[in-house]
Amino acid sequence: MSLHEDALSGAFETLRGQWVEALDIDAGQTRLVTSRGAVLHGKSPASGGALLTDDSRLLGSVITASTLAPDGVLTLALARPDSGNTMLITTRAPWALEFPLGAAIAARADGHIGRRPATGPRFATPQALDEWATSSPDEVEQAVLNAAADDWVSPGDVVSALLRSGVSDDREIERRGIDVLARLLVRGDLVAGSIDDTGFHPAPEPVEAVVEHVGTVWQALGGRRPGPGQIGWFDLPPEESV
C-alpha cells in the first residue's frame, strides 16, 4: 500500500536524536545502524563526497531531521555534537528502514512506500525473561561482575570475557554476549544506565525494555564486536557497589 509522507512522520521522528553507531558500505550497498538499533539498508548514499566504511564523519553524528521525497528518496540530516556542521545523507529507492520490535518502512525502486507495524519483542519474551530470572552466573558472567566491582562496564567488557573463555567467532560472541547481559540484567546483578561528568545514572526504563535494546542494537551491528561504551553502560546495583 502506498503511504503518504505525513503518515510516516511519526516513525521517522523516532530517529531524531539517535546517533550513528555503525556504518558498512560494500559493493554500492550501505547499512547504517543507529544507537537505538534502527537499521537503514540502501544504495550508497550521496553526501557531497565518497563515503568509506566506518567513515569518521558519520560515526557518532546525531540525526537531526529526516525527509522523504515523493519519488522515495530518503534524506537524513546529521550533525556532529562537537561542531555545527550538518551533513545530508541521501539514499534513493529501493531502501528499507528496520526499527526495533519488528517495525519497518521500505521503498521500492518506483518510490512505492510500504510499512510493517511492530510485531513485539524479539529478545525479552516472557519465556526468556522467566528463564533468565532463574539462571545462575556462569564463569563469563562472574568475570563481568568482577570487572563491574572496579568500574562501570559495557558490552565491550562482555566481549573481552568471552574472548578469554575461548569464544572467538563473531556471531557466537554476539549470541552469547546478548545472553550474558540479559541474564545479568534480569537477575538484577547489573543495572543499565548512562554516565556523565557526575557519574552513573540508572536508566528509567524497565529491565525488559533494556534487554530488548541490548539485543536489538547488538544484533543490528551485524557481527561487529561492540567497543567500550557502545550500546550502554552497566553497574552493580547500589547496595552492592559500596
Side-chain angles (χ1 to χ4, degrees), residues 70-146:
D71 59 358
V73 172
L74 174 64
T75 301
L76 301 179
L78 302 101
R80 294 197 61 84
D82 54 359
S83 73
N85 297 330
T86 297
M87 179 178 291
L88 299 180
I89 302 299
T90 301
T91 304
R92 67 186 184 277
W95 51 260
L97 182 58
E98 300 172 353
F99 294 91
L101 302 175
I105 299 170
R108 296 190 322 211
D110 61 3
H112 181 101
I113 305 296
R115 184 178 182 185
R116 182 179 68 205
T119 55
R122 294 181 296 159
F123 300 94
T125 62
Q127 179 181 358
L129 292 170
D130 288 343
E131 291 178 358
W132 291 326
T134 58
S135 64
S136 299
D138 62 16
E139 184 177 308
V140 171
E141 293 163 42
Q142 191 58 57
V144 175
L145 290 174
N146 291 341

Side-chain angles (χ1 to χ4, degrees), residues 198-211:
T198 64
F200 180 85
H201 304 279
E205 293 85 5
V207 68
E208 55 267 29
V210 173
V211 168

Side-chain angles (χ1 to χ4, degrees), residues 171-235:
R171 287 297 182 182
E172 182 65 7
I173 286 175
E174 173 190 300
R175 186 190 68 80
R176 289 279 303 277
I178 294 170
D179 187 63
V180 165
L181 274 176
R183 286 157 58 101
L184 290 168
L185 289 165
V186 174
R187 287 197 310 261
D189 297 334
L190 288 180
V191 294
S194 59
I195 58 174
D196 60 21
D197 293 340
T198 64
F200 180 85
H201 304 279
E205 293 85 5
V207 68
E208 55 267 29
V210 173
V211 168
E212 190 68 21
H213 167 74
V214 168
T216 297
V217 180
W218 199 325
Q219 189 175 80
L221 291 176
R224 291 173 181 265
R225 300 175 183 178
Q230 278 195 298
I231 301 177
W233 288 100
F234 307 90
D235 197 6

